[in-house]
Amino acid sequence: FLGANPKSTEPLRLDHEARGIAEKIQSSKHRSSVQLIQRWAVRVDDLHEALLQEQPDIVHFSGHGTPEGQIILEDEDSSPKPIKREAFADVFRVLKDRVRVVVLNASHSRAQAEAVARHIDCAVGMNDAMPQSAAIDFAAAFYQAIGFGRSVQTAFELGVNALKLKRLEGADVPALFARRGVSPSKVILLEPSPSTDATPQPQ
């Protein structure tokens, strides 16, 4: 979980989003197989460092985006640092390692997600701005499904459905993209363990 809310930008409830994700993961079937690592006030160097150190399966960014399709990290003085689409996507070309999913929970991040999906299996971006409560609920439902061993496609659809069930604005904002030749319905990050999760078969 990478969070950035630079000074002079609208305050976001990023801590609520991180907590919501953590709670849903902890209530999921495969919670012991998931480690949620959080980094805050993320700068460009922090992005490189996180990918090099952690080699995550999922990268989740929460923060601001621009109408031009840039995400905003923090500069050294905590001011906004817009990152161009091509530069951000290139990070995952170079350092994708184990990364299979990138979630950009930031306004106007559709173009970033499309670019990232050229290099990794799946990416989620936002077509427009989304109310903060909707962004939090979408993320929580998405990761709950992942924690129960469901596919990225199912997790995405359940995230959208959570907004519809609660009648929250923004259900049409999230967008899912996949690398050419990859089906999000086949991308499952937490496979059932044969020793603990499989249903016993009669002998």
Side-chain angles (χ1 to χ4, degrees):
F1 183 99
L2 305 173
N5 195 173
K7 65 182 182 183
S8 81
T9 61
E10 177 188 356
L12 298 173
R13 299 164 63 197
L14 303 185
D15 55 338
H16 289 254
E17 183 176 337
R19 184 177 67 184
I21 291 171
E23 289 175 349
K24 292 298 185 182
I25 289 174
Q26 284 303 309
S27 68
S28 70
K29 183 177 183 179
H30 302 301
R31 58 185 174 274
S32 61
S33 299
V34 181
Q35 182 181 15
L36 177 61
I37 300 169
Q38 301 178 34
R39 300 204 180 200
W40 299 92
V42 173
R43 302 173 182 174
V44 172
D45 289 345
D46 297 327
L47 177 61
H48 290 168
E49 183 178 288
L51 292 176
L52 287 167
Q53 286 186 348
E54 309 300 343
Q55 298 186 18
D57 297 284
I58 302 177
V59 175
H60 180 101
F61 172 78
S62 186
H64 289 285
T66 73
E68 294 75 30
Q70 301 170 320
I71 63 167
I72 301 177
L73 301 183
E74 293 201 10
D75 214 337
E76 293 184 3
D77 61 354
S78 298
S79 64
K81 178 73 173 179
I83 305 298
K84 291 184 177 180
R85 175 180 61 186
E86 295 80 7
F88 184 76
D90 207 42
V91 171
F92 295 94
R93 180 187 65 81
V94 178
L95 291 176
K96 62 182 180 180
D97 294 325
R98 285 172 39 184
V99 178
R100 299 191 67 193
V101 179
V102 171
V103 178
L104 302 177
N105 209 0
S107 59
H108 309 289
S109 56
R110 175 192 175 100
Q112 292 275 14
E114 283 186 284
V116 168
R118 292 199 295 263
H119 307 296
I120 66 163
D121 287 350
C122 299
V124 176
M126 302 300 160
N127 290 309
D128 205 333
M130 179 185 283
Q132 289 188 47
S133 58
I136 292 169
D137 283 357
F138 172 82
F142 180 92
Y143 288 105
Q144 182 178 47
I146 293 294
F148 274 96
R150 297 304 183 102
S151 71
V152 171
Q153 181 70 52
T154 297
F156 176 81
E157 292 180 4
L158 286 177
V160 171
N161 182 252
L163 307 188
K164 293 179 178 178
L165 289 175
K166 295 183 178 182
R167 298 183 179 181
L168 296 176
E169 294 181 7
D172 59 341
V173 174
L176 173 62
F177 303 94
R179 185 164 50 87
R180 180 176 296 181
V182 173
S183 171
S185 64
K186 303 296 185 183
V187 179
I188 300 174
L189 300 173
L190 294 169
E191 297 283 357
S193 169
S195 60
T196 59
D197 298 328
T199 302
Q201 299 296 317
Q203 300 296 317

